[in-house]
Amino acid sequence: MLYEDVKAMLEKRGQEQLLKYYDGLSDSDKEELLCNIEKIDFSVLDMLSSPEMKQVRGVIEPLSALGMDEISAKKDRYNAVGLDAVRKGRVGAILLAGGQGTRLGFDRPKGTYNIGVNRELYIFECLINNLMDVVKESKSWVPIAVMTSNINHEHTVKFFKEHGYFGYNSEYVYFFMQDMAPAADYNGKIYLESEKKPAMSPNGNGGWFTSFVNAGLLGEFRKYGVEWLNVFAVDNVLQRIADPCFVGATIDSGCVCGAKVVSKAAPDEKIGLLVKEDGKPSIVEYYEMTDEMMHSKDENGNRLYNYGVILNYLFNVNEMLRVMEDKLPVHVVEKKIPHIDENGNMVKPSEPNGYKFELLVLDLIHLMRDCLSYEVDREKEFAPVKNLTGIDSVESARKLLEKNGVAI
Ligand code: UTP
C-alpha cells in the first residue's frame, strides 16, 4: 500500500496517530511502518464501540463429570485404549506458550523460568519430563508443537535447542507462531510501541488451530496419523500430557472432545467452569455465575456447578476442521501497555492503561458437539504458575512438585 492509501485508511478509522513520526523516519523504516500497519486486524477494535458484539449467554445448566472413582474403576480399559491410540500415532500435543506471562513479571518466555531450588528445573523441562512418562510407557514418541508469538519465538526455539530438547526426540518437536492483535488506549486509539511500530500483543490462545494449520503443521501431524490434539497451557508444571487414561476415556465416551476438570476448592473459587449452555458444552467464567448457581446442590448435597477447567483439552481434529471458520468471541482485557507518548518518550505503565484483544481456547468448547468432563486430582495435576507468590504461584507450584516426588 502507498503512504497516501494507508493515510486515507487510517483517517477513516480514526487511527492517524500511527503515522505521527512517519516524516522523520528513514526510507526503510517508513516502509516497515506501512507494512506493520497493513497487517493490523482493525476489526477487533469494533468490540469497543459495539456492545452488542459482546458475548450473550444462553441457558446455563450443570454438566456432570466422569468422576475420579469411576475413572479409577475403568482405568485399565481406558489406559489400554489410550495407549493404543498413542502407539498408533493418533495423538499429538499442542503446548500453548505464546502468552506474555505479565503476572509473573518475567520478561522472557514463561517456559524458560527456572522453578528449581537446589537444581535447575525449567518449566518447559517439567512439561517434557511429564510427556516422557507416556513416551516410556507407550514406547513411542508423541509429536508436540509449541505455539509461540513473534515476541518470544526466537528465544523459545533457541532455549529448546540449547537444552537438547530436554531429552526429547527433536524430530518430533515443532514450533509455530500465533497471530498478533493491536493494543489500544481507553479511547480505542492504537498505541505506538516505537516510532515505526504499532503496539501489538499476542491475540490470545483461541486461534491456536488456525495458526497450527496455516503453519503447515496439521499436514506434518497427519503423517503420523494424528486424529486427536491435546492442548495445554505452559504454566501448569504438573500437567499430564497425552495422558493415556484421559485419551482412552474420551475415545470410549464417543465425544469429540474432552476437558480435564477439578472439583472446585470453594464455591466461589476463581476458575472457569465446564457447564452446558443451550444444551451444548460451554465454559463460563467464575464471575458469570450467580450466587445461587455457585451454592446450588443436588439431592445428595453435591455442588451442581462443581467442575473447573485447568486448560487441558483433547480435541478431535476433524471436529476442529469443521468449526475452523466459526467466529470466536473477542475478549477485551485491560492491561499495562508499554508505548511511546506524544513526545516520543518511552512509557512503561505500572497500572493498566488500555485494552488488548484476545480469543480464548475455552470458547472453542461451545463449538463442539459434546465434551467429556474428566475429573482429575488437583493435588496431582494442577500446579499453575501465574504469579511469583501466593495463589497459583512459583511458591505454590514448588510445594506441589515436591509433594508429587519431583526433586526441585
Ligand atoms: P494466561 O491466560 O495465563 O496468559 O495464558 P499469559 O499471557 O500467559 O499470562 P498473564 O495473564 O499475562 O499473566 C494461559 C495459557 O495460554 C497461553 C499462555 O502461554 C498460557 O500457556 N497463551 C496466552 C498463548 O499461547 N497465547 C496468548 O496470546 C495468550
Side-chain angles (χ1 to χ4, degrees), residues 290-302:
T290 60
D291 252 18
E292 192 193 333
M293 283 164 130
M294 268 184 214
H295 292 97
S296 56
K297 294 192 170 158
D298 66 14
E299 59 281 3
N300 301 319
N302 299 316

Side-chain angles (χ1 to χ4, degrees), residues 272-340:
L273 289 189
L274 184 54
V275 298
K276 255 199 244 168
E277 179 185 351
D278 292 338
K280 284 178 74 190
S282 189
I283 293 168
V284 291
E285 295 286 3
Y286 64 92
Y287 51 77
E288 294 177 284
M289 302 290 292
T290 60
D291 252 18
E292 192 193 333
M293 283 164 130
M294 268 184 214
H295 292 97
S296 56
K297 294 192 170 158
D298 66 14
E299 59 281 3
N300 301 319
N302 299 316
R303 244 181 249 137
L304 277 173
Y305 293 95
N306 190 41
Y307 296 106
V309 285
I310 59 169
L311 220 173
N312 188 319
Y313 305 107
L314 188 68
F315 289 102
N316 180 275
V317 171
N318 286 338
E319 184 72 359
M320 282 305 302
L321 285 168
R322 188 184 69 77
V323 303
M324 195 176 159
E325 299 300 326
D326 291 7
K327 279 251 169 289
L328 288 177
V330 177
H331 295 256
V332 181
V333 269
E334 277 191 59
K335 294 262 180 169
K336 299 175 208 162
I337 304 157
H339 62 280
I340 53 168

Side-chain angles (χ1 to χ4, degrees), residues 96-103 147 178 202 204-205 233-235 335 386:
L96 302 176
Q100 289 179 292
T102 46
R103 282 170 285 175
M147 183 166 86
Q178 68 172 96
N205 54 28
V234 70
D235 44 42
K335 294 262 180 169
K386 301 283 186 194

